[in-house]
Amino acid sequence: MSGTKTALIISAHAADFVWRCGGAIALHAQMGYEVTVACLSFGERGESARLWKEGKSLDEVKAIRRGEAEAAAEVLGAQELVCFDLGDYPLHLEQADKFALVDLIRRVQPSFMMSHSQYDPYNTDHMYMTQVALECRMIAQAWGHNPGEKVLGAPQLYLFEPHQTEQMGWKPDVFLDITPVWDKKRAAMECMNGQVHLWDYYTRVAEQRANHFKRNSGGQSGGRDCRYAEGFQSIFPRTVDEL
Amino acid sequence: MSGTKTALIISAHAADFVWRCGGAIALHAQMGYEVTVACLSFGERGESARLWKEGKSLDEVKAIRRGEAEAAAEVLGAQELVCFDLGDYPLHLEQADKFALVDLIRRVQPSFMMSHSQYDPYNTDHMYMTQVALECRMIAQAWGHNPGEKVLGAPQLYLFEPHQTEQMGWKPDVFLDITPVWDKKRAAMECMNGQVHLWDYYTRVAEQRANHFKRNSGGQSGGRDCRYAEGFQSIFPRTVDEL
Amino acid sequence: MSGTKTALIISAHAADFVWRCGGAIALHAQMGYEVTVACLSFGERGESARLWKEGKSLDEVKAIRRGEAEAAAEVLGAQELVCFDLGDYPLHLEQADKFALVDLIRRVQPSFMMSHSQYDPYNTDHMYMTQVALECRMIAQAWGHNPGEKVLGAPQLYLFEPHQTEQMGWKPDVFLDITPVWDKKRAAMECMNGQVHLWDYYTRVAEQRANHFKRNSGGQSGGRDCRYAEGFQSIFPRTVDEL
Amino acid sequence: MSGTKTALIISAHAADFVWRCGGAIALHAQMGYEVTVACLSFGERGESARLWKEGKSLDEVKAIRRGEAEAAAEVLGAQELVCFDLGDYPLHLEQADKFALVDLIRRVQPSFMMSHSQYDPYNTDHMYMTQVALECRMIAQAWGHNPGEKVLGAPQLYLFEPHQTEQMGWKPDVFLDITPVWDKKRAAMECMNGQVHLWDYYTRVAEQRANHFKRNSGGQSGGRDCRYAEGFQSIFPRTVDEL
Amino acid sequence: MSGTKTALIISAHAADFVWRCGGAIALHAQMGYEVTVACLSFGERGESARLWKEGKSLDEVKAIRRGEAEAAAEVLGAQELVCFDLGDYPLHLEQADKFALVDLIRRVQPSFMMSHSQYDPYNTDHMYMTQVALECRMIAQAWGHNPGEKVLGAPQLYLFEPHQTEQMGWKPDVFLDITPVWDKKRAAMECMNGQVHLWDYYTRVAEQRANHFKRNSGGQSGGRDCRYAEGFQSIFPRTVDEL
Amino acid sequence: MSGTKTALIISAHAADFVWRCGGAIALHAQMGYEVTVACLSFGERGESARLWKEGKSLDEVKAIRRGEAEAAAEVLGAQELVCFDLGDYPLHLEQADKFALVDLIRRVQPSFMMSHSQYDPYNTDHMYMTQVALECRMIAQAWGHNPGEKVLGAPQLYLFEPHQTEQMGWKPDVFLDITPVWDKKRAAMECMNGQVHLWDYYTRVAEQRANHFKRNSGGQSGGRDCRYAEGFQSIFPRTVDEL
């Protein structure tokens, strides 16, 4: 790996990266990571109810969602926001689209990747996205794909927190303290004008995760204080020199 | 936590700690951890077939197994070997025995704990041991148990690798590189004269885990070299400041 | 919701709705529900062995199966039978086919939906059907899909009972007493001339489920009598004002 | 069943019933249910850290916890609070204790029962409690246990929400709207002076569950409003006449 | 192994062996196996409702149940029926009871063992029985338990079919054709005068399992005929020279 | 079935059949089975890193891999190696490709089939292959697919051992003693010049599986000797006349 660490967020819809890992983005950006956010769609059809109720056209909805995503990415300090504009509900990638995602993965050479939970009966785009993320991670590791390019190593794939968490078989194995960047996450959430009802919802998620952070870092015998946190589930095992 | 880090291994039978986490013990001891090994029994009835075939008495079997365990613990650099001598096949703890284990947990104040897999149809002592380890961890955290004593924080409980791994529902989420201390683990295994057939078996386990270490630390794109490793499954989530 | 309640059965092959939820259809029809049955295929290739052995052509097989399905639907009191005629073994839906199913879902605005189990290694059409049912349910909820149409609410998706039940990971959480309409279900089954061996098989299934109904409604201390029942597994949680 | 409906809450420690199902208690009490709360211990050793830090004795801790539980039960409108005083961390029931719990179950003849999640590595008392609840439910159904007594029917056993929800394998299948009795639940929580930090934590839990209630009762197409809710997981299937 | 093959059925209550594996007993007895049936209790408290309703005393109930079990065992051709008479609802084994069961296991030296499913929320005696069966199998393998006795090898433990099958997480991996001995199983069931309602229930179970036998032995392309079958789940892997 | 028994291995990439079931192939070939190996791709892009590092072209890589696979198949005594040449990383089958695989299945009429584990986050080709194998098995059973052809019966589908076994949810239920043909498996592995590091890795796998074979065939009380084995997981239940 070169000097700069990098991370890649693979988000089915434009706003997912804000609610689900906005804190991780801001925190790692602040630590010097170059964080790239890939939005495969704008969530224009399925996650923009308010705009459709207002009578916006598809192009308008997409433009507004893109604008909000760009604003949020900037607030969070993301290095780059890549919009694939592939459509949603359903999201579908042809092979060329997958190879474009592989190109991005190879360009970023992420220290870690993030995507959705592996099961989500409410939102099949989410589980499809993760399946594609694993497929593209595999392709990016292939020496025979665009020979000569730098192949991908073995970055972790973290699954960020879904909505209606307990229905998804999602079990967090790591909590990240995002207290130092909370203001940025809240500000990024407030860029999402069509989903005002989620601002407080995900603020409460962060507060609950902070409680879990404290419990698991020491509990009633001196757990470290933490006001806001995010949880993630790891797909792959870690490799360490000390437990 | 005070200056010195500590670890506590909770082993149903005298030899489990050697095969399953001898590398972790030696490595952390070398890093300055004070590692305590608790053997709840000597494995005298169920894991000493060769000695019984030779016609040894129960006391002889226990003495021999104790001697082997002490030798192995010393080779590994464990700070202390605590033999509870509670009998095996089946292992059973009365409340007083559990409280003695709680006393040990509190005295050690471990940075991390280790025990068996949560399911083992071949060896019910193993799954019982882990159930008791969780129960005693909980009691050690209770402010009302022996008020005035320092209560336990929230140490991780790692589950070490069972025999016939795939039958146990055990899934390692962390691989530890034990190459630097491999000679010690091998030497400790060779203290177990009654189970010679396992020396090479667990050497191969360590070689396979090293392959997995390499794969998960980078794979064909520069994974770190590693010749021997051990795998562990975590019960509790981690709390971190960087992913 | 308007005055009339509705239900939508999504069946991979023409006869599935008879064996698996014929009682639920008849019972709800009798209660005033308008029940729509969607058959994505006629099961012409994979579930019509007798007809092929008799030397029928594909068109003949389809016509016969359609006729049987129509007769069964009428006996059950279904409001409508919609045959998509998409072929089976394998069943496959292109995006246009999915959107046609979405159109149907929106037109029906079902109070509840039904489809197959989520796992079926014997019959991949079945698990594919449920995956598509979830995807189309999601699309039907999207305000940006055919803006202006009435979007779907959040109907339950019940999974009806597969064949070789225990191999499918299917666990019923609700039993429905179909005793009052049993004659209709039996008559509908007898419309399926190519699968005579299943008439008694699914009669026995209904009798066993009735035993389970009785056990769970009171057991030996006064469970309600029930002679025929059907079991279903729910995908989504319920929302209630009383437990 | 007689005219009055009843419910029985089986709580390992004195305060569990408040955080986990206080709303269900208050709501059903308001509907005319006679709700009995059984606390097997006061949580005196393991869930009263603040009192121990203040130097209280065991008897003082128990008395204070009993007082708080009584106050909370009264606020919630519970018909009766039964304190078994069996000790905690660990909780253990001898056969006579189990039979006493069976006596209570038979006396109450509950329409439904409630207890803890089936897995909880942080708190083995909780999973033990549920195991015992199932065992005692079975004994209460036995015609040969105290012959002549009215045997138990087949009441549902709901598992209420654990702390650190996602670690427990707990998946809610029913959400209950507790908005009408929220003030009572909050007031009951405020009776628990030793766990002030949990008042807001469980207020947020109720707000998140309300979001899930709305999503599952209709979502963006007209889900019913709900400000506070509780979630439960059912052990047994339901028996119904309409889906 | 000596010339005669043997099998050991470990049944929590007196009648379980009839409903759940009566066919396997009769079939293997007919092939020359010596089949031993161990009933840990008579099911006198929990599975004899009719007798209690008739006003029988505990001793009368036990005597009647013993008589029925003996008659059924004889019809099935079991070599021996061993009644432990330990009581039921709940069943509990002290260490001496476990060692008596170990003695039996060692005396029989079974080619295979059978017991209940590993999960049963309706009947905790059943899951407890299987847990004890695994524990005693382990003890019987220990060279240090009663040194000098012939230790146990590694017999399979089959889990027979529970009632309300799908609620128990039980998945059969082997179906046994019991058509040749069906008359014996039916006759044995008819020895159970207190549970007449189960005669037809378990006849239907056998018919459904026969359908599954046919499906898995060839299906519509020539599966072997079979009219009655039983299903079992294996705990341990098989060792073979041909797949 | 005709006189000769047959088997069909369905391998995503050219070398999988060697590492994962080379022993099963050689053993059954030696017993007179006609074993057909289907390689859906050569693993040219994703599993030929050494060749790409040497600067080979795609055609060269494929030719080399084909040559190695042919050599290995011959050493193992396979009747036939069928190379579909569909590309890898990702592997994808159009309907015509699936029907070609169905043709092969019908031509072979296998006594048993083999393919990959059902979950593999490292290699999505593997899990996709098994999904397709199940789909094609189903189509091959359909009387309406190419009417007049002999339809498939109900062969077992064994899942062979993945790499990084414990991450895949793969649990072997049968161990096959391959000691008699070990030399052939080792020789076949040594045909794979690009993956020298795997020769010893999979030798160790075979040695560990032999240990498990011994344990499960009798353990310390006379388990049969075995030096090399392979493990498999069965998808479907077996049908037997003796347990």
Side-chain angles (χ1 to χ4, degrees), chain B residues 140-155:
Chain B
Q141 292 173 326
W143 283 78
H145 180 76
N146 294 344
E149 286 187 7
K150 178 169 169 44
V151 301
L152 182 69

Side-chain angles (χ1 to χ4, degrees), chain A residues 209-219 223-226, chain B residues 239:
Chain A
R209 295 307 174 199
N211 176 286
H212 300 173
F213 187 101
K214 281 187 280 189
R215 292 248 171 176
N216 286 290
S217 68
R224 209 186 73 184
D225 193 31
C226 173
Chain B
T239 54

Side-chain angles (χ1 to χ4, degrees), chain B residues 25-38:
Chain B
I25 295 170
L27 190 73
H28 286 82
Q30 190 166 287
M31 284 189 278
Y33 280 67
E34 293 180 356
V35 183
T36 298
V37 177

Side-chain angles (χ1 to χ4, degrees), chain D residues 24-57:
Chain D
I25 294 169
L27 190 72
H28 287 81
Q30 189 166 289
M31 284 189 277
Y33 281 66
E34 291 181 356
V35 183
T36 299
V37 177
C39 289
L40 279 292
S41 79
F42 298 109
E44 62 269 22
R45 285 164 44 94
E47 308 195 343
S48 308
R50 193 178 62 78
L51 298 172
W52 293 105
K53 290 177 188 174
E54 294 170 5
K56 297 286 190 305
S57 71

Side-chain angles (χ1 to χ4, degrees), chain B residues 46 49 53 119 122 161 163-167 170-172 175 197-198 200-201 204-205 207-209 211-212 215-216 220, chain F residues 46 49 53 119 122 161 163-167 170-172 175 197-198 200-201 204-205 207-209 211-212 215-216 220:
Chain B
K53 291 176 188 174
Y119 178 66
Y122 295 91
E161 180 159 356
H163 204 82
Q164 303 200 58
T165 309
E166 298 77 16
Q167 305 300 321
W170 179 85
K171 183 180 176 184
F175 291 111
H197 61 294
L198 293 180
D200 286 351
Y201 182 89
R204 289 191 298 265
V205 167
E207 292 175 297
Q208 303 303 81
R209 295 307 174 201
N211 175 286
H212 299 175
R215 292 249 169 175
N216 286 291
Q220 294 186 303
Chain F
K53 291 177 187 173
Y119 178 65
Y122 294 91
E161 181 160 354
H163 203 81
Q164 301 201 57
T165 308
E166 298 77 16
Q167 305 300 321
W170 179 85
K171 183 181 174 184
F175 291 110
H197 61 293
L198 293 180
D200 286 351
Y201 181 89
R204 288 191 298 264
V205 167
E207 292 176 297
Q208 303 303 81
R209 295 307 174 201
N211 176 287
H212 300 174
R215 293 247 170 176
N216 285 290
Q220 294 187 304

